[in-house]
Amino acid sequence: MKTHQSTPRQDGNVLVICLFTCAILGFAIASCFVYVRNQMTAAARSQSWNESLVISEAGIEDGLMLINKYSDTTTPRGWWTNTATDDSWTRVGNAPLVFWVQRTLNGSRYDVFVTNGTQPWIRSVGTKSFSAGRAAIQRAIVVRATPGSLFQGGLIAKGGVTLQGNVLVDSFNSQLAGANIDGKYDPSIRRDNGSIASASSNVVATVTAGGSVQVYGKVYTGPEDGFVSNGGATIGSEAFVDGASTGIESGFVQNDLNLYVPDAPTPSTTGIPLPAKGNTVVGTNTYTSSYYLTEGSYRNVGNLQLSSSDKIVVSGNVKLEFMNDFKMSGSSQIIILPNSSLTIYARDSVDLAGGGVMNQTGYATNLTINGLPTCTSIKYTGSSDFVGTIYAPYAYLELSGGGSSDLHFVGSAVASSIKVSGHTQVHYDESLLQLPSGPHYYTTLWAEIPLSTTTSSTSSTSSSSTQTF
């Protein structure tokens, strides 16, 4: 039997082929490892990129918590600047007021800067560690915070709003140049932000109007709600209403309102009893049969009725709590002297008839009636124009003007339900949107920014629109 023996040359070729094959396989395997490693790195980086934004948002929440510390309290909303350092924030520089804090989260961190102002800016930089030997990933967010207001329109109700008779609703701004005359309302500077709102939902009609009603502004209702006109109501812009138009201007009735109405603030201290009635001399004026209230807090236990020519005279910043009914009749009056203010806390019904409330300051911010949850009825039929605010989320509010002269309600009203009748004009003061105390700050601008951009470069002026619904 013959056998074929391989030659050395043939053996060498086989070896080369094997080595070449192994090299190809090794390269393929190495390529797979590199591909998988790169994929894992890319996935990890993508995850870190996303997480850094979440970390930044956590910093924004921290900033909002700082500036909202005194929201919905009787303490001025901006008081947070006086206690920020006590809350572990560090003041940076002197002007403007800037506060900074850094916090760590599972090895990552965020740096937050809050700039004080009417509309505070919050800038947060989130830093996420990626891997050893690689730079950390950072992303930055800036938001603008705008103070909420209890008074976002002329008439706001949790339930229905009824306008009946010769009713007019418009607006002005006591603090804006050109939108007032000496800080007061005048038809010549009328604006069309005197809006009406009903926060209820799933009701056929929560806002109704009958008679000769004119609304310079919008009507807002909740989902599935609507507006019903039983007369010659006109609702729209100033040009529309003044142009002898009738009906509703397109877009001025909306049923997508989502509005939260918190409870009224409560008195922070227990007041002293009312002083005895007597004759009060202030300057050259003598007020007979009057309760003279000076700076401080007062409380009346039991029902209180002002009749005949009884008066309450307010000098200084006064807080007055009524534990039971308060009623006015005859020619009785509440008189708020210049450079004074009155805040009423009502725990039961309030009937302001007679001579009504004479707010000699002329500004709505100097008179506030807070209806607490047990206050279910407030009426104003006094012969004096009402210049102030009413906030009574559980009360039925009735504003009624009589005779041929108009009753002017200057300010804003919030109630459970509202009825406006007779010769009554409601003039919403848009400056109430900027009250120092009230609901929380909410964000009106959110943007991711390059890290080279500073908070100051994103400064912005307030919007010219006053409507926040």
Side-chain angles (χ1 to χ4, degrees):
M1 182 175 106
K2 294 182 178 182
T3 61
H4 297 279
Q5 296 182 356
S6 61
T7 64
R9 183 174 181 177
Q10 290 175 324
D11 291 340
N13 290 338
V14 172
L15 181 59
V16 169
I17 293 171
C18 289
L19 291 175
F20 186 72
T21 302
C22 289
I24 293 174
L25 292 174
F27 180 77
I29 293 173
S31 297
C32 287
F33 279 124
V34 171
Y35 177 78
V36 171
R37 185 188 64 185
N38 290 340
Q39 286 291 95
M40 292 179 63
T41 301
R45 180 175 177 79
S46 177
Q47 182 176 355
S48 298
W49 176 260
N50 292 331
E51 288 181 2
S52 63
L53 186 63
V54 175
I55 295 168
S56 296
E57 290 179 334
I60 295 296
E61 294 294 332
D62 204 341
L64 286 171
M65 185 170 65
L66 172 71
I67 65 176
N68 280 317
K69 181 174 182 178
Y70 298 102
S71 296
D72 296 316
T73 71
T74 56
T75 302
R77 214 168 6 209
W79 196 253
W80 63 268
T81 59
N82 298 299
T83 58
T85 55
D86 296 333
D87 297 326
S88 303
W89 290 72
T90 301
R91 181 171 175 178
V92 181
N94 294 314
L97 288 177
V98 178
F99 296 89
W100 163 79
V101 74
Q102 181 184 95
R103 304 193 196 279
T104 58
L105 299 169
N106 298 324
S108 301
R109 72 173 189 272
Y110 59 74
D111 294 84
V112 187
F113 298 84
V114 180
T115 302
N116 180 43
T118 303
Q119 299 184 92
W121 289 90
I122 304 173
R123 179 175 179 261
S124 175
V125 180
T127 303
K128 170 65 178 177
S129 300
F130 181 40
S131 62
R134 293 179 180 269
I137 296 175
Q138 291 186 317
R139 296 177 75 176
I141 299 173
V142 65
V143 303
R144 180 179 64 195
T146 299
S149 173
L150 295 175
F151 305 104
Q152 298 187 37
L155 301 170
I156 302 172
K158 294 167 67 174
V161 178
T162 302
L163 310 177
Q164 195 172 65
N166 296 310
V167 175
L168 182 146
V169 182
D170 60 6
S171 72
F172 77 113
N173 192 319
S174 62
Q175 304 300 318
L176 181 66
N180 63 77
I181 294 180
D182 296 329
K184 311 301 188 295
Y185 169 83
D186 189 272
S188 64
I189 46 84
R190 169 183 291 144
R191 289 155 66 93
D192 52 17
N193 289 310
S195 299
I196 299 169
S198 168
S200 67
S201 59
N202 299 314
V203 180
V204 174
T206 53
V207 180
T208 59
S212 301
V213 173
Q214 292 180 307
V215 177
Y216 292 81
K218 292 184 176 181
V219 172
Y220 295 87
T221 62
E224 306 302 325
D225 289 356
F227 168 78
V228 171
S229 174
N230 297 320
T234 304
I235 300 172
S237 63
E238 184 177 3
F240 181 84
V241 179
D242 287 344
S245 303
T246 57
I248 303 170
E249 184 175 358
S250 177
F252 275 73
V253 172
Q254 300 178 202
N255 66 343
D256 57 355
L257 178 65
N258 183 12
L259 179 66
Y260 170 63
V261 180
D263 289 355
T266 57
S268 57
T269 59
T270 300
I272 62 175
L274 293 178
K277 282 192 298 184
N279 295 334
T280 302
V281 179
V282 180
T284 59
N285 296 317
T286 299
Y287 301 99
T288 60
S289 185
S290 63
Y291 298 95
Y292 184 54
L293 308 184
T294 57
E295 190 89 16
S297 298
Y298 299 83
R299 170 187 279 187
N300 184 77
V301 178
N303 298 331
L304 178 63
Q305 179 167 345
L306 301 184
S307 58
S308 186
S309 58
D310 291 343
K311 299 176 183 65
I312 293 177
V313 179
V314 175
S315 177
N317 298 317
V318 172
K319 300 182 186 300
L320 175 57
E321 182 179 4
F322 293 117
M323 301 300 291
N324 296 96
D325 290 352
F326 174 64
K327 185 175 182 179
M328 298 171 60
S329 61
S331 58
S332 61
Q333 280 187 314
I334 296 176
I335 301 172
I336 303 172
L337 298 177
N339 302 314
S340 303
S341 67
L342 173 62
T343 301
I344 292 176
Y345 299 92
R347 296 187 180 273
D348 214 320
S349 63
V350 176
D351 189 350
L352 303 175
V357 183
M358 183 176 292
N359 182 355
Q360 294 183 357
T361 72
Y363 292 97
T365 51
N366 291 62
L367 170 61
T368 301
I369 299 177
N370 291 313
L372 303 184
T374 52
C375 173
T376 58
S377 175
I378 297 179
K379 295 181 180 180
Y380 192 87
T381 57
S383 58
S384 299
D385 291 339
F386 183 96
V387 182
T389 61
I390 297 175
Y391 190 85
Y394 296 91
Y396 168 72
L397 172 63
E398 184 175 351
L399 307 175
S400 179
S404 58
S405 59
D406 290 324
L407 169 69
H408 295 266
F409 180 93
V410 183
S412 178
V414 179
S416 176
S417 58
I418 299 175
K419 181 180 179 181
V420 183
S421 61
H423 290 264
T424 304
Q425 295 192 12
V426 177
H427 311 299
Y428 170 53
D429 186 351
E430 299 167 12
S431 70
L432 296 172
L433 283 171
Q434 302 298 329
L435 285 179
S437 299
H440 60 277
Y441 291 90
Y442 61 97
T443 57
T444 53
L445 181 148
W446 184 103
E448 184 175 359
I449 58 172
L451 288 175
S452 59
T453 302
T454 61
T455 305
S456 60
S457 66
T458 59
S459 62
S460 173
T461 58
S462 300
S463 171
S464 61
S465 173
T466 61
Q467 190 53 259
T468 60
F469 286 122

